[in-house]
Amino acid sequence: MALAAGIRDDFPLLSQTVGGKPLVYLDSAATSQKPRQVLESLFEYYRSYNANVHRGIYWLAEEATARYEEARTKIASLLGAARPEEIVFTRGTTEALNLVAGTWGRANVGPGDQILLTEMEHHSNIVPWQMLAAERGAVLRYIPVTDEGRLDLDTLDRLLAGRPKIVGLAHQSNVLGTINPVRWIADRAHQAGALVVVDAAQSVPHQKVDVTALGADFLAFSGHKMLGPMGIGGLWARYAVLDAMPPYHGGGEMITSVGLDRSTYKAPPHKFEAGTPDVAGAIALGVAADYIRQIGLDAITEHVRDLTAYALLRLMEIPGLTIYGPRTATDRGGAVAFTLDRVHPHDIAQVLDGDGIAVRAGHHCAEPLHRRFGIPASARASFHLYNTRAEVDALVEGLLKVRRLFARASSTAKGGAHGAG
């Protein structure tokens, strides 16, 4: 846990108390906390060089534009992109996936075409494709999930025989933690003539993601899960693919000229960035990329894997607790979803919150996946570089407390019912 000990002071929020108890933040799959360097970057932009980008020729505007484009270069480098122009800033993963469905999808998917997804997708990688399928008369197919929480790849060849136009999958599940073999799937999808879109919201913050090695055609990510601000993220795609796509939104500086009857558009990425972008957010995202690179993604991966392995072992000690997803940390990220017998996940989260422990409860925007396992909801603990084994121990003690409280309540209810009878 040397990594967490060395950087905890960079995250001022983590030093807070909740109800007089130290905050234990275990919800980084929903959003990560932000280091001081990112917070100071936001303040510095608005204090020192707040101006719109790609518009003015005065110093402030040129400074803001230079920093904005510098951030694009930093993100491109972090993802192994061939050139900065392959990075389109969006509001996050959801907008990036909607952009692909709304532009590439409308131009390339027609009646009867198949779209292949997986049962473990987050809603952001299901709903845009459902909307496209309804509009274009296309057909959705899904790769099923095994009881262990991995993709049932025995079905892949049969599903690819339908020659889908696109295959969409999560690099890492936000519920099961499963890390999918994207390259292996992408190679087969390409042989079947499909492009591959990867939801990398959960993987980019914790592991090296090289878009070339991954074999993806599109990759979506969110800044706020990788130590950056909310409302900023991005889409990577090969430049030739972006260049062939129509714009997503219209207006602002995404044009080369506008007439009363028609307009022409700038080259990527600018033709996809209509209106005033989140300049401060993009620059701060670049700072978050600097921070991650300084710590080292290998060190972050190893830290989260160690913490996840420890959490899986400790959680298995709790009677009546069911873990969803792989039971070992192999090919697994730091999100651990679970249920506790006869206790609703919302009750789990509420009792834990009383001890200052923040976990997510609900369907985590993955309703089909929860239905696959026959549950309406689950509780989820998720880890990042700043978490410690002591926080996992606090979670386990909190869950044992939940179990005692609800066992006592159940016993009292039964006793009351018996006495009344």
Side-chain angles (χ1 to χ4, degrees):
M1 295 298 102
L3 177 60
I7 54 90
R8 289 278 293 198
D9 288 346
D10 287 341
F11 295 83
L13 183 144
L14 297 177
S15 64
Q16 293 185 94
T17 58
V18 176
K21 299 179 180 177
L23 170 66
V24 176
Y25 185 75
L26 301 178
D27 197 19
S28 292
T31 193
S32 67
Q33 296 305 331
K34 325 301 178 194
R36 195 182 306 277
Q37 293 86 337
V38 168
L39 302 178
E40 290 173 352
S41 168
L42 291 166
F43 182 64
E44 183 193 8
Y45 167 76
Y46 286 111
R47 180 188 59 191
S48 303
Y49 57 98
N50 173 39
N52 216 325
V53 294
H54 298 298
R55 287 162 172 80
I57 58 171
Y58 52 91
W59 177 83
L60 279 180
E62 291 186 346
E63 181 70 8
T65 300
R67 301 272 194 115
Y68 180 76
E69 293 302 328
E70 182 184 43
R72 196 190 310 274
T73 300
K74 291 176 181 178
I75 299 301
S77 175
L78 187 72
L79 298 179
R83 50 196 287 191
E85 293 84 358
E86 293 182 339
I87 302 295
V88 178
F89 284 125
T90 67
R91 288 184 295 163
T93 299
T94 298
E95 186 174 56
L97 293 170
N98 273 273
L99 191 161
V100 178
T103 59
W104 183 91
R106 281 181 177 155
N108 292 279
V109 176
D113 285 341
Q114 294 192 12
I115 298 166
L116 181 58
L117 307 173
T118 87
E119 281 185 335
M120 69 169 65
E121 296 310 304
H122 187 272
H123 297 168
S124 295
N125 206 22
I126 295 177
V127 179
W129 301 109
Q130 290 176 337
M131 296 167 72
L132 177 69
E135 177 184 315
R136 307 295 293 170
V139 179
L140 295 168
R141 295 280 185 268
Y142 291 89
I143 302 171
V145 171
T146 67
D147 291 342
E148 191 195 6
R150 298 194 185 277
L151 293 179
D152 182 358
L153 296 176
D154 290 342
T155 67
L156 186 61
D157 287 344
R158 175 176 56 79
L159 290 164
L160 288 176
R163 301 193 69 78
K165 284 295 186 77
I166 193 157
V167 176
L169 76 162
H171 193 185
Q172 179 180 315
S173 168
N174 71 317
V175 177
L176 307 171
T178 310
I179 297 174
N180 290 315
V182 172
R183 182 59 194 245
W184 190 87
I185 294 170
D187 286 347
R188 281 149 186 80
H190 290 151
Q191 289 168 11
L195 296 192
V196 176
V197 55
V198 177
D199 173 352
Q202 297 294 331
S203 58
V204 167
H206 302 121
Q207 66 184 84
K208 280 184 179 174
V209 174
D210 184 305
V211 290
T212 302
L214 209 56
D217 297 290
F218 303 99
L219 184 135
F221 61 96
S222 293
H224 71 97
K225 296 181 194 292
M226 53 175 285
L227 314 182
M230 289 191 175
I232 188 72
L235 171 71
W236 166 86
R238 283 179 285 111
Y239 188 83
V241 175
L242 286 175
D243 196 35
M245 289 164 54
Y248 183 44
H249 294 141
E253 289 294 309
M254 48 79 74
I255 52 88
T256 51
S257 70
V258 174
L260 292 179
D261 298 323
R262 63 184 296 273
S263 302
T264 56
Y265 310 112
K266 286 183 176 174
H270 303 296
K271 76 172 173 181
F272 299 107
E273 296 179 359
T276 296
D278 182 354
V279 180
I283 293 169
L285 178 58
V287 173
D290 288 341
Y291 187 88
I292 288 173
R293 187 177 286 109
Q294 181 186 353
I295 299 295
L297 273 164
D298 286 341
I300 294 172
T301 302
E302 183 57 33
H303 177 79
V304 173
R305 183 185 294 130
D306 178 81
L307 209 54
T308 304
Y310 182 66
L312 291 169
L313 284 174
R314 293 283 345 253
L315 290 171
M316 287 179 200
E317 297 172 4
I318 300 174
L321 188 140
T322 300
I323 295 172
Y324 298 89
R327 300 297 185 92
T328 70
T330 304
D331 294 330
R332 197 192 200 292
V336 182
F338 55 87
T339 54
L340 194 55
D341 278 354
R342 296 184 293 278
V343 186
H344 194 282
H346 287 173
D347 292 327
I348 294 174
Q350 189 166 18
V351 174
L352 291 176
D353 181 55
D355 286 334
I357 302 167
V359 300
R360 176 87 177 261
H363 52 59
H364 319 310
C365 298
E367 278 194 74
L369 181 59
H370 280 76
R371 288 198 195 97
R372 159 63 183 83
F373 287 98
I375 53 175
S378 63
R380 182 188 69 190
S382 53
F383 312 112
H384 213 317
L385 74 169
Y386 36 67
N387 291 119
T388 67
R389 285 192 174 199
E391 291 180 317
V392 173
D393 292 337
L395 171 67
V396 171
E397 288 305 311
L399 289 169
L400 290 170
K401 177 181 176 180
V402 171
R403 191 171 177 276
R404 287 194 299 273
L405 284 172
F406 281 84
R408 192 181 308 144
S410 176
S411 175
T412 301
K414 286 179 181 175
H418 179 73

